[in-house]
Amino acid sequence: MRGKRVTLRMTTETDLADHLRWHADPALTAWMPERPGPQSLDQRKEWLTDVGKDEMRTHFEIAEGETHVGYCAFALERPRIAGDWSIATLFLAPAARGRGLGTDAVLALHRFAIDYHGLRRAYAWLYRDDVAGRRLLAALGYVEYAHGHDVFYREGRYWDDWRGYLEVSEFRQRFPDEREYPERGPG
Amino acid sequence: MLGPLLRGASGVSLAPPTPEDHRLYRAWAAQPEITYFWGPRGGNWTDTDLEERYKKLASDPNGVQWTIQVDGRSVGLTGIDGIDWIRRQGESYILVGDLAVQRRGVASEAVRLRTDFAFRELNLHRVYNWIVLDNIGSRRANEKAGYVQQGIAPNGFRRGVRLHDEWLGELLRESWERRAKG
């Protein structure tokens, strides 16, 4: 999946060393609702095998040119309504933060889910104090639907959450040019 | 894990499920009247699969499951799933499968017992759930125990031709303590 500045690509075993380095530092994963912890290389290889088999989840690595700068994933929601999905995770390496690469990656992720898979409503779950994450989602058109109290725990205290959703019609209206495929007729 | 015996009012109790209790779910899940507001109805319901699932439930360290009994008869199930022991919270659920005992306060008493256990014995900080907004019985049973709304996901649940809103509820330990002290 090509963004304007980043590419979303499949995970290879060579990416796993980056995952291990990133996940070893709790300061880098502090705002992740599903927070990964330190792992051994064998554990991470097992994770990769499991991810490859998981039909409900699609995981991408984020690359800026040849540089591996993070990862993201989307997941199909439990079978409440076919077509619902969620941003399952988003991680950017410190050097890639604050440069708009996250927005670029997430736009590509939405294009894949919406244009390739034909999915409709997207859900997202964040720390309520995740200012950068909420700004990114607001720009995409997400709206809040729930505020949970004392949902996360780290650094000796509880933190509230933010839940939002995005209708595909809103995404289309805001980003009419975010198309994975050009419209074409027969031939 | 299997929850311990909790005796409540009006003949309602929560008991550790037996394999026989677990098999009742197969009959409940098949009935659209019972599972209209519930999750998937499909699944592998062979005896072998049920036995395997029962073993997994019993050995799951992050979940507690009970059978709801009325005067010793199994009429439903309830529990807390996906317990995160660092965040000290989990997601609660309930299904009354016996239509003959619905609308008699059974769910309310079961939710009260389960909620007390969550805070008094499991030492949880928060219990939360997702309930279809139109499932008034289940929502009221939880609200009576102190659960409050944290949000609504509009049109988040489909059954047949209808889209229903989903109610997200939560109960924090401090609120439960205030209520318990009266």
Side-chain angles (χ1 to χ4, degrees), chain A residues 32-33 35 78-81 120-121 123 125 127 145-153 158 161 163 165, chain B residues 40 86-89 91 125-126 130 150-159 163 166 168 170 172:
Chain A
M32 297 174 78
R35 194 178 191 185
R78 289 180 297 169
R80 294 198 300 266
I81 296 183
R120 296 174 309 183
R121 181 187 282 186
Y123 289 93
W125 186 38
Y127 274 72
Y145 71 91
H147 172 184
H149 299 84
D150 289 5
V151 174
F152 308 113
Y153 189 85
Y158 282 99
D161 77 0
R163 286 181 182 273
Y165 70 91
Chain B
I86 292 173
R87 295 174 179 171
R88 289 173 52 208
Q89 48 199 281
E91 180 174 2
H125 179 76
R126 176 175 179 262
W130 294 63
Q150 50 169 321
I152 286 182
N155 295 332
F157 184 89
R158 180 192 292 282
R159 272 294 180 269
L163 286 169
E166 281 191 291
L168 284 75
E170 65 179 358
L172 297 182

Side-chain angles (χ1 to χ4, degrees), chain A residues 108-186:
Chain A
L109 189 75
H110 281 66
R111 184 152 38 85
F112 184 74
I114 291 168
D115 248 24
Y116 179 72
H117 277 283
L119 300 177
R120 296 174 309 183
R121 181 187 282 186
Y123 289 93
W125 186 38
L126 296 177
Y127 274 72
R128 202 160 189 83
D129 292 311
D130 180 358
V131 176
R134 286 184 59 182
R135 193 182 300 135
L136 191 164
L137 294 183
L140 261 63
Y142 277 78
V143 291
E144 177 178 338
Y145 71 91
H147 172 184
H149 299 84
D150 289 5
V151 174
F152 308 113
Y153 189 85
R154 64 170 164 83
E155 297 167 28
R157 57 162 282 202
Y158 282 99
W159 304 70
D160 290 0
D161 77 0
W162 179 94
R163 286 181 182 273
Y165 70 91
L166 169 69
E167 298 289 5
V168 64
S169 53
E170 181 66 27
F171 182 79
R172 289 278 189 234
Q173 196 176 336
R174 288 188 184 219
F175 304 99
D177 298 329
E178 282 293 338
R179 295 280 182 177
E180 183 61 11
Y181 302 101
E183 194 172 337
R184 59 182 282 186

Side-chain angles (χ1 to χ4, degrees), chain A residues 69-91:
Chain A
V69 297
Y71 59 77
C72 60
F74 80 90
L76 301 176
E77 286 286 289
R78 289 180 297 169
R80 294 198 300 266
I81 296 183
D84 284 5
W85 62 285
S86 61
I87 302 174
T89 190
L90 170 65
F91 177 88

